[in-house]
Amino acid sequence: MAISSTIKSIQDIMRKDVGVDGDAQRIGQLVWMLFLKIFDDREQEWEILDDAYRSPIPEPLRWRHWAADPEGITGDELKDFVDTMLFPGLQQLQPRGDDSRGVVIRNVFEDAYNYMKSGQLMRQVINKLQEGVNVNKASERHELGDMYEQILKDLQSAGNAGEFYTPRAVTRFMVDRVDPRLDEIVMDPACGTGGFLTCTIEHKRKHYVTTPQDEQVLQRSIHGVEKKPLPHLLATTNLILHGIEVPSQIRHDNTLARPLISWGPRERVDVIVANPPFGGMEEDGIETNFPQAFRTRETADLFLTLFIHLLKDNGRAAVVLPDGFLFGEGMKTRLKEKLLTECNLHTIVRLPNGVFNPYTGIKTNLLFFTKGRPTEAVWYYEHPYPEGVKNYSKTRPMKVEEFQAEIDWWGSESDGFAGRQETEQAWRVPIEEIEARHYNLDIKNPHQGEQISHDPDELLATYARQQAEIQELRDQLKTILGDALGHAEDTTEDRKKPPLVVEHFDTLFTTEASIDKLKQTILQLAVMGRLVPQNSEDEPASVLLERIAEEKARLVKEGKIRKQKPLPEIADNEYPFEIPAGWVISRMDDITDIQSGIAKGKKNNGKKTTWLPYLRVANVQRGRLDLSEVKEIEIACDEAEKYSVKKRDLLITEGGDWDKVGRTAIWNAEIDPMAHQNHVFRARLILGEQNEQWIEKYLNSGFAREYFADSSKQTTNLASINKTQLRSCTVPVPPLEEQRRIIEQVDELMALCDRLKARLGEAGETRNQLAGAVVEQAVT
């Protein structure tokens, strides 16, 4: 019987067992049995090659002892043996000395389960495996590999959000392009079922392994980590199946649960190939293992931060990421800036829709980068459907041959990809353009106009997929907002109901314009302290304000900042809202040093001068800087420091028209000195531990916008604020730790809003195309 038929018959037997509920449990049950059968087959080979070989499994628990005999124990006796002896024995296995095989077995069984209730049905399954699977037969090993991949695909039908089987064509192409050499350490920190690692094994054997010594080097060079028990068991079995004798480097752990700083130089790797889970959220607290600027609960973003850290200098990576990463803002912008600054992101392959069908329709990209030098330009390659194909599906997946065009075009990184040419599918974007776009990497193919389909069936399928993605994003937002705005501690009937914004979310937020309203609502809730819970153990903001006041007095005494005219005490009617416990209301003047800019054309009275680039109102957009056009100004050398802009400074516009009053952005660049003009205020933090992102977010909220509108000097269509008004602006100050939590929550929600807004726009375009196609079909 063919192995695929064996597996199908086993699954049919399992469906009769009342204890096995659904595909995930069926696969989990099958795989621990398959693991023991494969391990026993490999042990037979090792015993022939090594007379001194000793099994790490106690004799009564070895497959050959209790399972191999088709007339062996069955019924209640078999069920009792598996539950009371086999599983406890393997889960509590005490390996001898440095017996790493025993450690592997214990690790894979520590979270495995026997779901079957019928010993008779279990015996039938065991006999089918014993009869139909033999890893030591060369003719069957390849077929077993194909069958195993089918098991992995089937697992996705029962799968978990954000985790998808990566098509074989994609993994082979990615590994081929990073070309891991024999002695290079290759790691997948989110290895799932081991697809990238087995492709790496095959690649190294094909190109670099020629001797038994080479094979031993290969065996030590493959590393992976997987946090979920079943995928870890699948990955371990997969590597044994691919000839890794002791897959002890495949750890059952969560790489994100470890502080980033704790990954030392000795743990750096040469190559990372990975498809990190995207669209999922990590548990609370995981993000605190990362630097504050890169904290989020979105799994894929945390993993990319980890990948950059784990690579050695000149280390290479190939990573699958969704479109949302390319255009996302907030924390994603900072992460993209880090990626492009610390690594050469030389290539982005944009995949078409449907590559991950039927698991998800989310559009994905393959990012290839090398650590150690900054990006000068990013090459894009838009992967087309093969001729005659309109979409991929489970029965018509992507094929590896489709990537031959990219391989022929690729060139060599050693000469800076000098041989690459722009084509209808490929285009080059210099780093200056990406910086001007505020690190938005979602850059469309300039060589192709908008492709409009006229096939109603194709458009209907596209629209259905887009609606599914939209609902998935809405559900994520509703879950986070529901948790944030929930009142679990309040047992009144009104408080048991979900907040209105959550209850009617699908009705309220259906257009791109409504998502802008949602983002403003999120910001309002955030600065009021409604998005994250207060923690009584946080240091009160009043203590922080005392430290700021002491530091400001010192700076004034030393002449480093000017003493300003005192402002009146904050009156009750100046409180923008009722502040939560532990918060304090302060003025901008209390927490920052505000400096007006240099006037254009200011006379320098014969002083020695220098030319500096300077920021104008046009450069300060809401929440970001547009540096696509920066001019220079002549300034006296002894005044350059006074008007300079430094990292973490807040830039706030004086005005000019209604849209420009009080626009804010943070200067995060570390470049040569830069000045600011007199219509742009610079607010510098008094104390290094302050959080400039909190102040910036508040100044962009409706409360601050209302203050600027009420305070500004108004003419027919112009408005502006002066320095005193900016100094007087009230700012709520939460405890520092709460500020951090709020910013992380806002960044996460804003990124989801951006993705939802983009998907709504795409769905709207598809709907219009569909309407046109249906009308066109009706009249022809």
Side-chain angles (χ1 to χ4, degrees):
M1 182 185 292
I3 289 178
S4 57
S5 300
T6 297
I7 298 303
K8 183 179 184 305
S9 62
I10 287 173
Q11 291 175 326
D12 289 341
I13 294 169
M14 286 185 183
R15 288 188 177 94
K16 301 174 185 177
D17 192 294
V18 296
V20 185
D21 183 17
D23 288 340
Q25 288 188 6
R26 250 190 308 278
I27 292 167
Q29 181 79 20
L30 170 61
V31 172
W32 73 254
M33 293 178 169
L34 190 60
F35 173 87
L36 289 177
K37 175 66 172 75
I38 290 173
F39 191 83
D40 195 69
D41 285 350
R42 295 304 310 275
E43 282 198 302
Q44 293 176 34
E45 183 180 342
W46 298 330
E47 287 166 347
I48 293 171
L49 298 174
D50 181 4
D51 291 337
Y53 176 80
R54 291 179 63 195
S55 176
I57 303 176
E59 193 63 30
L61 305 184
R62 298 178 76 180
W63 175 272
R64 65 189 66 179
H65 184 88
W66 63 272
D69 182 0
E71 301 298 326
I73 58 173
T74 186
D76 292 343
E77 184 183 1
L78 175 59
K79 174 77 166 60
D80 184 66
F81 168 79
V82 169
D83 289 341
T84 63
M85 293 188 64
L86 181 68
F87 268 78
L90 297 180
Q91 289 169 343
Q92 299 166 24
L93 195 62
Q94 299 298 317
R96 298 182 298 271
D98 59 352
D99 179 11
S100 51
R101 285 189 178 95
V103 175
V104 169
I105 293 166
R106 185 180 62 199
N107 288 345
V108 299
F109 272 88
E110 64 183 358
D111 287 307
Y113 294 95
N114 173 43
Y115 295 104
M116 296 188 74
K117 300 296 186 184
S118 168
Q120 285 86 359
L121 293 174
M122 195 187 307
R123 168 49 66 185
Q124 293 178 39
V125 169
I126 291 168
N127 288 351
K128 290 286 185 184
L129 280 174
Q130 180 63 24
E131 177 188 355
V133 174
N134 187 349
V135 177
N136 293 330
K137 286 185 180 179
S139 60
E140 290 189 7
R141 188 172 292 190
H142 178 73
E143 186 185 350
L144 184 58
D146 291 343
M147 176 277 302
Y148 191 82
E149 283 210 1
Q150 187 57 50
I151 291 175
L152 305 187
K153 291 180 183 179
D154 290 345
L155 178 63
Q156 302 306 311
S157 301
N160 301 298
E163 298 176 10
F164 311 113
Y165 171 83
T166 309
R168 181 76 165 175
V170 174
T171 57
R172 285 182 61 181
F173 171 69
M174 291 169 67
V175 170
D176 178 79
R177 292 300 83 197
V178 295
D179 185 25
R181 265 79 82 181
L182 177 62
D183 60 346
E184 289 186 318
I185 301 299
V186 180
M187 185 178 190
D188 182 351
C191 72
T193 54
F196 282 103
L197 300 180
T198 56
C199 272
T200 300
I201 293 165
E202 292 169 359
H203 179 87
K204 289 193 175 190
R205 286 197 179 123
K206 179 179 179 180
H207 295 283
Y208 300 111
V209 174
T210 58
T211 69
Q213 290 75 22
D214 291 342
E215 176 64 27
Q216 290 306 307
V217 173
L218 163 63
Q219 296 265 337
R220 295 190 296 269
S221 70
I222 306 298
H223 294 255
V225 184
E226 172 52 40
K227 73 173 182 177
K228 294 192 174 181
L230 181 54
H232 174 255
L233 173 55
L234 286 159
T236 304
T237 311
N238 204 1
L239 264 68
I240 291 175
L241 190 59
H242 281 78
I244 300 298
E245 295 183 3
V246 189
S248 56
Q249 300 103 317
I250 310 304
R251 294 189 291 111
H252 181 199
D253 201 355
N254 182 2
T255 43
L256 300 181
R258 180 175 165 185
L260 190 69
I261 197 172
S262 73
W263 294 90
R266 292 185 178 181
E267 296 174 284
R268 300 290 195 270
V269 298
D270 300 289
V271 175
I272 287 176
V273 277
N275 177 8
F278 48 81
M281 298 294 168
E282 284 298 313
E283 61 191 75
D284 291 340
I286 288 289
E287 69 276 8
T288 60
N289 292 318
F290 291 77
Q292 184 167 317
F294 305 108
R295 288 177 181 171
T296 177
R297 285 174 59 208
E298 188 160 338
T299 305
D301 293 342
L302 292 175
F303 267 114
L304 185 57
T305 305
L306 176 65
F307 297 165
I308 297 170
H309 182 77
L310 283 178
L311 283 175
K312 296 177 181 177
D313 276 350
N314 298 314
R316 309 178 303 287
V319 181
V320 183
L321 286 173
D323 265 9
F325 172 78
L326 299 189
F327 61 73
E329 297 183 355
M331 178 270 182
K332 290 182 190 293
T333 297
R334 297 191 294 275
L335 179 53
K336 285 180 283 189
E337 182 181 5
K338 176 183 176 69
L339 173 63
L340 291 162
T341 302
E342 297 183 17
C343 303
N344 177 24
L345 175 61
H346 54 79
T347 311
I348 297 178
V349 175
R350 308 210 68 172
L351 298 179
N353 285 323
V355 171
F356 285 86
N357 280 343
Y359 318 123
T360 178
I362 294 174
K363 289 191 70 173
T364 53
N365 307 270
L366 311 181
L367 276 64
F368 296 85
F369 54 91
T370 301
K371 185 175 177 179
R373 61 185 180 89
T375 304
E376 296 179 2
V378 178
W379 279 93
Y380 287 79
Y381 195 102
E382 186 169 59
H383 185 91
Y385 288 117
E387 188 175 351
V389 174
K390 295 180 179 179
N391 204 349
Y392 299 112
S393 66
K394 190 172 183 179
T395 57
R396 190 174 54 187
M398 174 181 272
K399 297 179 180 178
V400 71
E401 292 78 16
E402 294 177 35
F403 286 106
Q404 190 58 48
E406 282 98 319
I407 292 171
D408 294 340
W409 164 85
W410 199 267
S412 172
E413 188 174 3
S414 62
D415 63 5
F417 300 103
R420 286 183 175 179
Q421 299 291 325
E422 292 209 10
T423 69
E424 288 188 359
Q425 306 301 137
W427 65 101
R428 181 181 183 273
V429 182
I431 188 63
E432 294 78 13
E433 181 177 336
I434 293 170
E435 290 172 343
R437 293 169 55 88
H438 201 53
Y439 296 98
N440 183 343
L441 293 171
D442 185 25
I443 301 174
K444 306 302 181 186
N445 187 343
H447 305 303
Q448 294 186 1
E450 197 68 28
Q451 302 297 309
I452 299 178
S453 171
H454 296 279
D455 184 336
D457 290 337
E458 181 181 335
L459 289 167
L460 278 168
T462 299
Y463 187 68
R465 186 189 67 250
Q466 290 169 336
Q467 289 300 313
E469 293 176 33
I470 287 168
Q471 193 57 52
E472 183 179 334
L473 289 167
R474 283 193 183 123
D475 289 343
Q476 287 186 52
L477 280 162
K478 282 191 291 186
T479 297
I480 297 172
L481 284 172
D483 290 345
L485 299 176
H487 303 277
E489 71 281 3
D490 196 326
T491 58
T492 65
E493 286 302 314
D494 285 346
R495 292 301 193 184
K496 286 181 181 178
K497 295 174 61 178
L500 286 175
V501 70
V502 175
E503 186 178 2
H504 300 290
F505 194 96
D506 292 350
T507 303
L508 294 171
F509 303 111
T510 59
T511 65
E512 294 174 79
S514 66
I515 302 305
D516 291 332
K517 295 285 188 184
L518 174 61
K519 291 172 74 172
Q520 190 61 34
T521 300
I522 289 169
L523 195 57
Q524 294 288 92
L525 292 169
V527 300
M528 295 173 69
R530 297 283 305 282
L531 282 189
V532 302
Q534 277 71 52
N535 186 340
S536 59
E537 295 182 3
D538 289 341
E539 179 188 77
S542 57
V543 179
L544 171 64
L545 267 292
E546 289 173 5
R547 289 201 296 275
I548 293 173
E550 291 172 1
E551 178 65 8
K552 186 170 186 179
R554 184 186 70 80
L555 293 172
V556 168
K557 184 176 181 180
E558 294 177 1
K560 293 182 178 178
I561 62 175
R562 291 183 59 185
K563 185 174 182 179
Q564 302 289 335
K565 182 178 179 180
L567 296 170
E569 293 289 324
I570 298 174
D572 290 344
N573 63 1
E574 290 184 272
Y575 277 57
F577 50 83
E578 184 178 348
I579 62 172
W583 290 36
V584 174
I585 291 288
S586 71
R587 295 195 190 277
M588 277 289 289
D589 190 60
D590 296 328
I591 57 178
T592 65
D593 173 49
I594 298 172
Q595 173 66 48
S596 300
I598 185 171
K600 187 177 180 181
K602 180 182 178 181
K603 296 181 180 179
N604 293 304
N605 300 321
K607 294 180 179 180
K608 184 178 179 181
T609 63
T610 185
W611 284 88
L612 288 179
Y614 77 110
L615 294 167
R616 301 166 296 132
V617 170
N619 298 123
V620 183
Q621 302 300 313
R622 186 149 299 159
R624 67 181 182 87
L625 289 167
D626 179 1
L627 302 180
S628 56
E629 187 180 348
V630 176
K631 298 186 177 182
E632 290 193 335
I633 191 170
E634 189 176 18
I635 187 171
C637 291
D638 60 0
E639 292 190 316
E641 175 65 22
K642 176 181 178 182
Y643 298 112
S644 69
V645 179
K646 296 182 179 179
K647 188 165 186 177
R648 301 181 66 205
D649 283 349
L650 284 93
L651 300 161
I652 306 158
T653 56
E654 174 186 315
D657 59 45
W658 279 111
D659 185 50
K660 294 178 181 175
V661 178
R663 286 198 312 215
T664 66
I666 299 171
W667 181 251
N668 268 328
E670 294 183 7
I671 61 172
D672 294 335
M674 200 164 195
H676 59 109
Q677 73 163 157
N678 61 325
H679 296 300
V680 177
F681 297 111
R682 182 217 71 206
R684 182 165 292 164
L685 303 177
I686 300 296
L687 205 61
E689 64 186 285
Q690 288 175 258
N691 196 320
E692 70 277 12
Q693 293 181 60
W694 167 258
I695 303 172
E696 194 269 342
K697 280 184 172 25
Y698 179 74
L699 293 180
N700 273 299
S701 73
F703 297 111
R705 303 302 307 159
E706 185 178 351
Y707 171 80
F708 291 141
D710 291 343
S711 303
S712 59
K713 178 183 177 181
Q714 304 170 19
T715 61
T716 305
N717 61 353
L718 300 176
S720 63
I721 55 172
N722 59 38
K723 183 177 177 180
T724 299
Q725 290 166 334
L726 181 57
R727 290 176 57 223
S728 300
C729 178
T730 56
V731 179
V733 181
L736 270 178
E737 277 300 301
E738 189 172 342
Q739 291 181 36
R740 176 190 63 75
R741 295 195 298 271
I742 292 171
I743 290 164
E744 290 169 6
Q745 187 77 290
V746 170
D747 283 351
E748 181 180 320
L749 289 166
M750 293 301 185
L752 288 171
C753 285
D754 289 337
R755 288 166 59 187
L756 178 55
K757 183 176 177 180
R759 294 294 175 264
L760 286 168
E762 292 171 1
E765 292 176 9
T766 302
R767 186 171 58 246
N768 292 337
Q769 293 170 18
L770 176 60
V774 170
V775 170
E776 182 180 326
Q777 187 183 69
V779 299
T780 56

